[in-house]
Amino acid sequence: MSERGTLVVISGFSGAGKGTVSKALVEKYGYRLSVSATTRQPREGEEDGREYYFKSEDDFLKLIDYNGFIEYARYVDHYYGTPRKFVEDELAAGNVVILEIEVQGAMKIKEQYPDAILLFITAPSIEVLKQRLIGRGTESPDVVDKRMRRAAQEAESIDQYEFIVSNEEGKLEECMDKIHAIIESESCRITRQNAFIDSLKEGLDSYRQ
Ligand code: 5GP
């Protein structure tokens, strides 16, 4: 029933668990996850081409010049961008494509793809958020502090999103299922079903006076 695919933007404070939720959605529902390019260093366990395409700043700037990104932004001293080709190909194939990106990028996506579903994931409280960032152990106290300050800025943009979902400890399934339900119900929206509606009307042509 779906026409062109559906673009889903998932944003949220660093430490909200966006990565875990997105990966789980890919596994459970077969959604396609866009792999971004970044100039930040890989964290332990991260692989080039899996979590990110890790790029030098020079290469990243060249990709901007080649129009290789549908959006890019600077976040805590580094560039992050969404490669154009994967998203366009997957949407053309009718798939649900997830972009896990920060708020400036999300706003740029909404301008170019007005149908995109904008979703904000958060921890249940700021205290839990900070504890998660510290507990992750991959970030220095300075970076944790920068990310918390960035969260304070990002909170100002929550109103621009359409949905907010809390990712509570031990309730990953619940969070995923809520997001799936949002995507499913959005896909039934009249404005997303023009071709289907036209085909129904066409089938009724001979009954029209
Ligand atoms: P991290 O360094 O923790 O992996 O990501 C930092 C932030 O950058 C997160 O909020 C993440 O969602 C965001 N991000 C990752 N990829 C992209 C991208 O391609 N574009 C934008 N605008 N933000 C991104």
Side-chain angles (χ1 to χ4, degrees):
M1 205 164 89
S2 182
E3 306 187 322
R4 202 164 184 259
T6 307
L7 194 53
V8 181
V9 174
I10 297 187
S11 302
F13 307 130
S14 183
K18 304 180 293 282
T20 313
V21 172
S22 302
K23 282 193 192 94
L25 282 166
V26 167
E27 271 167 35
K28 186 163 178 186
Y29 298 110
Y31 296 162
R32 314 284 299 170
L33 181 62
S34 160
V35 177
S36 295
T38 183
T39 57
R40 84 149 162 74
Q41 292 299 309
R43 294 191 189 116
E44 211 180 307
E46 286 184 335
E47 262 178 43
D48 187 43
R50 192 180 63 191
E51 279 76 17
Y52 282 104
Y53 297 106
F54 295 99
K55 301 279 178 201
S56 67
E57 194 150 317
D58 268 5
D59 285 350
F60 195 99
L61 295 175
K62 274 186 200 135
L63 281 165
I64 296 176
D65 283 347
Y66 296 149
N67 198 23
F69 296 121
I70 53 174
E71 64 73 37
Y72 67 92
R74 253 186 108 76
Y75 177 93
V76 186
D77 305 334
H78 293 290
Y79 282 111
Y80 293 81
T82 304
R84 179 177 302 280
K85 189 173 181 335
F86 176 85
V87 173
E88 290 293 345
D89 289 352
E90 293 294 334
L91 287 179
N95 292 325
V96 173
V97 184
I98 298 182
L99 307 185
E100 193 206 310
I101 63 178
E102 51 70 67
V103 298
Q104 303 169 71
M107 297 306 125
K108 290 184 204 154
I109 291 295
K110 193 71 188 174
E111 281 167 22
Q112 295 172 69
Y113 302 86
D115 275 358
I117 301 171
L118 263 52
L119 228 144
F120 199 90
I121 299 191
T122 174
S125 72
I126 296 305
E127 195 42 46
V128 170
L129 183 75
K130 190 165 179 192
Q131 285 314 316
R132 278 191 200 162
L133 272 181
I134 294 168
R136 189 147 87 179
T138 52
E139 252 68 72
S140 64
D142 176 49
V143 172
V144 169
D145 195 55
K146 275 187 175 166
R147 284 178 180 243
M148 290 304 290
R149 274 189 268 143
R150 182 64 181 231
Q153 284 173 9
E154 289 180 337
E156 297 303 313
S157 300
I158 293 180
D159 295 346
Q160 316 272 350
Y161 284 74
E162 292 155 316
F163 299 95
I164 182 161
V165 179
S166 173
N167 179 22
E168 291 174 35
E169 229 53 65
K171 294 192 179 169
L172 178 63
E173 284 286 318
E174 199 175 293
C175 179
M176 274 161 57
D177 291 346
K178 267 189 197 163
I179 295 174
H180 180 62
I182 290 167
I183 295 170
E184 285 290 288
S185 52
E186 277 290 309
S187 77
C188 298
R189 197 178 280 281
I190 291 282
T191 49
R192 288 182 193 274
Q193 295 295 336
N194 291 332
F196 177 54
I197 295 164
D198 285 349
S199 78
L200 293 177
K201 288 182 179 167
E202 210 178 297
L204 290 167
D205 270 353
S206 57
Y207 298 96
R208 216 164 272 126
Q209 304 291 343

